Amino acid sequence: MTRFVLRRILAAIPIGLIVTLGVFALVFAMPGDPLRELAGDKPIPAAVLAAKRAQFHLDDPFIVQYLLSMKDMFTGHFGTTFAGADIASQLRLRIPVTLKLATLSLALQWIAGLLFGLYAGFRRNGVVDRMLLLSTLVVLAVPGLVLYFAGQFLFGVQLKWLPVSGITEGYPLAYLLPATCIAITGFAGMARLTRTSIVDTANADFVKTARAKGLGEQRILWRHVLPNALLPVVTLMGIDFAGIFAGAVLAESIFNLPGLGQFLFQSIRFHEGGVVVLLSTLAFVMFIAINLVVDIVYGLIDPRVRNV
């Protein structure tokens, strides 16, 4: 297992370099001067502008700016944003916000998706199964952006059941509406995959053989159906967990939550290439780590994949 983990980490290094280089190139290619956009309509003295451009190496070639940002990241000297905010302090303030939003949304999504998927799979063609298929079709047909704004308008503005934006109401009340919106967008895929996997496994030949041998339904369920049916579900849960940062960018921007997603959105808007690379690297490292955990869980559920 140690050799497997080391191989995955070594393989991730060149991929990480390509990802960060591509992200930095996209931010570098954006039109406009970030310092003038930050100042807005206020005039900036030429001397101040030149000093700021020298401070942030904005006149250096692309590859020099990229290498300097990577050096700052690996040495832990993150510096400041163009507006003067300390990046390390911003990370300390924003990481807990994103973690609270991610854990709450994943908990809602996984609990609802697994419960409905398992029940619909074992009660195929029943009322719950038909309602699940209809509701997931509706959710999959509605774009996430529309769902976020509709939830904010209905439950925040009209009914006033939940805060419209911000975190002044504290955890978990302030996070409940954006977390529910994220959970609903991911619930459909989780429920449908769980239901389909249960149905396919319950009709597999080895399950029919177990029934023919006279094994009890409870033993067939826990020893044969669930361990095999949950393998693709575990993969989807890992992908959901690793991709929660992407969902946070949209949700935190709409609901004004001061997390990493909002920080990334603001950094892209103001051409903060170094900050974008830093946040992208954090997301990439999290993706690799979660996939390693998924592979280990795979081995625990199904011993056949331990030596693959």
Side-chain angles (χ1 to χ4, degrees), residues 7-35:
R7 281 204 307 268
R8 295 293 299 270
I9 293 174
L10 289 176
I13 291 175
I15 299 174
L17 289 175
I18 293 172
V19 169
T20 55
L21 187 61
V23 169
F24 194 87
L26 290 174
V27 177
F28 185 85
M30 291 175 66
D33 187 331
L35 295 179

Side-chain angles (χ1 to χ4, degrees), residues 71-146:
K71 175 191 170 187
D72 292 341
M73 185 174 61
F74 284 110
T75 56
H77 299 101
F78 301 138
T80 64
T81 63
F82 293 157
D86 183 67
I87 295 175
S89 300
Q90 289 293 310
L91 292 178
R92 284 194 292 271
L93 291 173
R94 292 174 180 272
I95 286 176
V97 175
T98 299
L99 286 179
K100 290 176 182 175
L101 177 64
T103 51
L104 185 58
S105 61
L106 286 176
L108 295 173
Q109 174 185 328
W110 290 353
I111 291 173
L114 286 174
L115 286 179
F116 278 97
L118 289 171
Y119 189 86
F122 288 119
R123 296 289 185 270
R124 187 182 178 188
N125 296 325
V127 176
V128 175
D129 186 26
R130 295 179 188 279
M131 290 179 60
L132 176 70
L133 292 177
L134 180 62
S135 62
T136 53
L137 279 177
V138 173
V139 171
L140 290 173
V142 178
L145 187 65
V146 175

Side-chain angles (χ1 to χ4, degrees), residues 24 28 56-68:
F24 194 87
F28 185 85
F56 293 107
H57 308 282
L58 295 180
D59 293 326
D60 291 341
F62 161 74
I63 193 65
V64 175
Q65 292 188 38
Y66 171 73
L67 292 176
L68 287 173

